[in-house]
Amino acid sequence: PPVPIAPPQLTAVGATYLWIQLNANSINGDGPIIDREVEYRTMAGMLIDTTPVDKPTHKVGHLDPDTEYEISVLLTRPLEGGTGNPGPPLRARTKCADRLPAGG
């Protein structure tokens, strides 16, 4: 089954979201890739969610402010045993929610 070689790339950060680029073009294993999913969890280890993705970039939303997350990409090919292991994880922290702009 296919496994991404590189972790996703962080493209934007907010208090409750992380925008990532899947970075899933280089793989180990066999294609063709028919499904992509993003798996994410807090660094505390609690599994949060796996979300199907159909674009090269994805907004992981509804996150907790000032929390570190681990985000991996799962790839699926047709036929039996089609979903590979999660690729290398991206570690990213959401922003603090209580920071106001200067002068405000």
Side-chain angles (χ1 to χ4, degrees):
V3 178
I5 292 172
Q9 292 180 304
L10 189 64
T11 58
V13 178
T16 59
Y17 66 87
L18 299 166
W19 269 102
I20 61 165
Q21 187 170 350
L22 295 189
N23 211 9
N25 293 333
S26 298
I27 64 167
N28 282 325
D30 297 324
I33 307 303
I34 56 166
D35 268 325
R36 294 170 178 81
E37 293 174 294
V38 170
E39 176 184 283
Y40 59 97
R41 63 185 180 99
T42 62
M43 291 309 296
M46 195 172 60
L47 185 65
I48 295 180
D49 210 352
T50 302
T51 309
V53 178
D54 59 0
K55 299 183 182 76
T57 58
H58 179 68
K59 179 182 180 181
V60 182
H62 308 289
L63 304 178
D64 294 327
D66 194 27
T67 302
E68 192 173 11
Y69 287 87
E70 195 170 80
I71 304 170
S72 299
V73 176
L74 292 155
L75 301 175
T76 302
R77 65 178 165 107
L79 305 175
E80 189 177 334
T83 302
N85 292 324
L90 163 72
R91 286 189 178 179
R93 180 177 287 276
T94 50
K95 291 184 177 179
C96 291
D98 57 355
R99 290 202 180 136
L100 296 175

